[in-house]
Amino acid sequence: MRKRIVGISMALIGLVLILAACGGDKANIAVGPAGSATNTVSSLILEAYGIEEGDYTAFEEGFGDAADGVQDGNIDISIGILGLPAGSIENLHASAGDAKMLSLSKEAVAYIEENSAYREMVIPADSYEFLEEDVTTVTAYAILMGNTNTISEELGYQLAKVMIENSSDISHAQGAQMTLDNALNGLEDMPIHPGAARYYEEQGLEFDNPIAELNVTEDVTELTLGTGSSGGTYFPLGGEMATIWKDNIEGINVTSQETGASLENMARIGEGTMDLGMAVHGPAMDGVNGEGEFDAPIENAAFIGHIYPEVVQIVTRESTDIDSFEDLK
């Protein structure tokens, strides 16, 4: 009898541990690393649906780890800001076989547009083989920001020029987005680096943004480029961008670094520990203006160029039976 009681007790303890690991009935949602643009837009999306912190379990994972979690069944929904199509999502479907993408409601899109720089976008059904219909989401732009205390006018000119004229050397799919037609996407009202401004003016582009003032005391030869997490788009694309700059700008070496993406990159430019940073244009504007997550304006950051459209992509699996954020209420 005693053995039976012990056996039942151990089984109950095991069940409690399993339920605790799974978070009970709460969905496990990957919302992006703390301080990232993904984390910020995830909060907006959940707010738009009236989903509060206690309604789900948050995982602050980079998109690569989050996609692995979705595949393993440890994460129910992963929110990511990625190029289209995203290799990590294609890999998820290839491995799991039942990837599914969630649409945002019209009301949620309206809320996000009202409270951020993101705008509605429709992901065409032919973007991924597993999509059966178009998906409604929001998008922004990935841009390159430069440190006006370390990037001279001539270096800024060369960085912008090589981004445009040598983008065909980039094998990543998003390299095709670095064109003159797109060059000023995401510029908004931000100051533009004088070197980049000179290059774009020579190419016939028009803009009336303020030209950033430089405070460069010495020419630099070693540059750091802040990217994002290893499973996202910034990291591999940034690595290739660093290579084309090294190959085409004499005397310059660029080292790409894995970071928490937009907010960290902007903060580190402001601190003077980073020369170049990839960022979503909304957080970049917040940084320049001292708004949002930034307590004060970052006065030494300037726009250098557009990189690619940033698309918010929300993935789950058919096995979760989640068809909408409404299902989490």
Side-chain angles (χ1 to χ4, degrees), residues 3 7 9 17 26 42 52 56 92 102 112 118 127 135 145 164 172 179 207 209 227 256 258 266-267 276 292 314:
K3 289 183 178 180
S9 298
L17 291 173
K26 295 179 182 179
S42 294
E52 300 178 352
Y56 64 97
L92 168 63
L102 302 184
I112 295 165
Y118 290 90
S127 299
V135 173
M145 298 294 288
I164 300 297
H172 195 288
T179 65
F207 50 90
N209 293 67
T227 60
S256 60
E258 181 178 1
M266 289 296 296
L276 299 164
I314 307 162

Side-chain angles (χ1 to χ4, degrees), residues 4 8 10 14 19 21 25 48 72-73 82-84 87 122 128 159 164 183 205 243 260 262 277 285 308 319 325-326:
R4 183 181 178 189
I8 293 172
M10 293 302 293
L19 289 174
D25 293 330
D72 297 340
L82 305 161
L84 188 68
V122 174
Y128 297 100
L159 289 167
I164 300 297
L205 300 185
T243 297
S262 301
M285 287 196 300
Y308 68 93
S319 58
F325 282 105
E326 297 283 356

Side-chain angles (χ1 to χ4, degrees), residues 81 83 139-145 163 178 182-183 185-186 233-234 237 262 277-282 303 305-311:
I81 305 176
T139 190
Y141 296 109
I143 60 174
L144 179 70
M145 298 294 288
M163 277 179 69
M178 296 181 210
N182 296 336
N185 287 347
T233 302
Y234 282 9
L237 180 57
S262 301
M278 301 169 76
V280 178
H281 83 278
F303 177 94
H306 163 273
I307 305 175
Y308 68 93
E310 288 269 34
V311 185

Side-chain angles (χ1 to χ4, degrees), residues 55-253:
D55 297 332
Y56 64 97
T57 302
F59 286 73
E60 295 183 336
E61 309 282 358
F63 197 79
D65 291 336
D68 289 342
V70 174
Q71 178 182 329
D72 297 340
N74 297 321
I75 290 176
D76 299 304
I77 298 172
S78 178
I79 303 172
I81 305 176
L82 305 161
L84 188 68
S88 51
I89 293 179
E90 292 177 323
N91 292 339
L92 168 63
H93 182 66
S95 300
D98 66 342
K100 180 167 63 176
M101 190 167 287
L102 302 184
S103 271
L104 297 176
S105 67
K106 290 183 179 180
E107 293 78 12
V109 169
Y111 180 88
I112 295 165
E113 288 184 336
E114 183 178 350
N115 291 280
S116 73
Y118 290 90
R119 295 295 176 260
E120 181 177 359
M121 177 182 173
V122 174
I123 298 175
D126 61 2
S127 299
Y128 297 100
E129 67 173 41
F130 64 85
L131 291 182
E132 297 179 356
E133 59 186 12
D134 294 347
V135 173
T136 300
T137 187
V138 290
T139 190
Y141 296 109
I143 60 174
L144 179 70
M145 298 294 288
N147 187 335
T148 58
N149 293 338
T150 61
I151 308 296
S152 67
E153 179 175 342
E154 180 58 27
L155 181 53
Y157 179 95
Q158 293 298 331
L159 289 167
K161 176 183 172 70
V162 169
M163 277 179 69
I164 300 297
E165 298 184 8
N166 296 87
S167 60
S168 60
D169 294 337
I170 294 176
S171 64
H172 195 288
Q174 303 309 322
Q177 301 293 334
M178 296 181 210
T179 65
L180 272 179
D181 288 341
N182 296 336
L184 301 182
N185 287 347
L187 173 58
E188 302 291 331
D189 297 324
M190 285 186 286
I192 186 169
H193 191 284
R198 176 160 61 91
Y199 173 71
Y200 296 134
E201 286 172 343
E202 288 179 359
Q203 306 309 309
L205 300 185
E206 297 180 358
F207 50 90
D208 58 3
N209 293 67
I211 306 298
E213 294 185 9
L214 302 183
N215 186 28
V216 179
T217 57
E218 60 180 349
D219 290 336
V220 297
T221 57
E222 295 286 337
L223 301 175
T224 57
L225 166 68
T227 60
S229 65
S230 59
T233 302
Y234 282 9
F235 184 73
L237 180 57
E240 291 201 54
M241 291 170 65
T243 297
I244 66 166
W245 283 324
K246 287 186 289 186
D247 290 347
N248 293 281
I249 303 177
E250 186 175 355
I252 293 296
N253 182 55

Side-chain angles (χ1 to χ4, degrees), residues 255-279:
T255 301
S256 60
Q257 296 183 357
E258 181 178 1
T259 69
S262 301
L263 299 182
E264 180 182 341
N265 293 343
M266 289 296 296
R268 289 185 59 187
I269 286 175
E271 294 165 358
T273 59
M274 185 168 284
D275 305 293
L276 299 164
M278 301 169 76

Side-chain angles (χ1 to χ4, degrees), residues 276-323:
L276 299 164
M278 301 169 76
V280 178
H281 83 278
M285 287 196 300
D286 284 347
V288 168
N289 295 323
E291 298 173 348
E293 300 292 324
F294 298 91
D295 296 329
I298 298 174
E299 298 180 347
N300 63 316
F303 177 94
I304 292 180
H306 163 273
I307 305 175
Y308 68 93
E310 288 269 34
V311 185
V312 175
Q313 299 176 63
I314 307 162
V315 292
T316 182
R317 293 178 58 184
E318 295 287 352
S319 58
T320 65
D321 292 327
I322 298 173
D323 296 317

